[in-house]
């Protein structure tokens, strides 16, 4: 961050550039994850058919194990990794926590002026613009990202942007800028991936 600050002379823009660099570094992994999620989405009718065949069995019935085996065999046959969609989210969490720690403790960011209405990156956005925009981008990201979750789970996931927006209202504005820019990068990548898959259905 200090190295980038040496070029731009503004810690706010240094955070923006560092966020873009981090997302570019994670682009290949995210692309693979998004492709896997799209393939899982395409398999949902077949998975649902397997689940319906065992719908009468209780959760404790040993026959349930056979259902899980069939589902995993289907994933294996189609070359889909059900855990792949979680990996990018897990990898971004340490970065988010590191940014939070840095913005809370780095003396250089105390009173650091970003410009516009943000005059201290280490304290909350005085007009709550960045956390609200962050919440909007989270809804946007969920809308464009494929999911294999059932409708009930999807509705529950829609609450996450509201919860995180509420949390970020009181967090450092520099952290909200990081999360906002990161969301925009991921949305852009989703559109690129969607276009790539549309051009090459077998990808």
């Amino acid at each position: 961050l200090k190295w980038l600050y040496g070029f731009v002379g503004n810690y706010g823009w240094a955070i923006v550039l560092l966020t873009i660099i981090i997302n570019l570094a994670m682009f290949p992994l995210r692309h693979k994850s998004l492709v896997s999620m799209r393939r899982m989405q395409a398999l949902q009718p077949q998975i649902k058919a397997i689940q319906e065949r065992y719908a009468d069995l209780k959760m404790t019935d040993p026959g349930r194990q056979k259902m899980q085996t069939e589902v995993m065999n289907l994933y294996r046959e189609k070359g889909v990794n059900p855990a792949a969609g979680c990996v990018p989210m897990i990898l971004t969490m340490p970065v988010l926590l590191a940014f939070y720690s840095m913005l809370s403790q780095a003396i250089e960011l105390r009173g650091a002026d970003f410009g516009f209405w943000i005059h201290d990156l280490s304290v909350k956005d005085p007009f709550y613009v960045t956390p609200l925009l962050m919440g909007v981008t989270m809804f946007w990201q969920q809308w464009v990202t494929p999911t294999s979750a059932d409708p009930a789970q999807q509705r529950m996931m829609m609450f996450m942007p509201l919860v995180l927006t509420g949390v970020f209202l009181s967090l450092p504005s520099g952290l909200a800028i990081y999360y906002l820019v990161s969301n925009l990068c991921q949305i852009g990548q989703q559109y690129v991936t969607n276009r790539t898959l549309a051009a090459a259905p077998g990808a």
Side-chain angles (χ1 to χ4, degrees), residues 62 144 194:
V144 299
N194 288 349

Side-chain angles (χ1 to χ4, degrees), residues 41-56:
Q41 190 179 43
L43 290 178
Q44 284 309 295
Q46 292 170 262
I47 293 173
K48 190 174 181 181
I50 293 172
Q51 291 172 338
E52 286 176 350
R53 290 207 306 270
Y54 296 88
D56 294 334

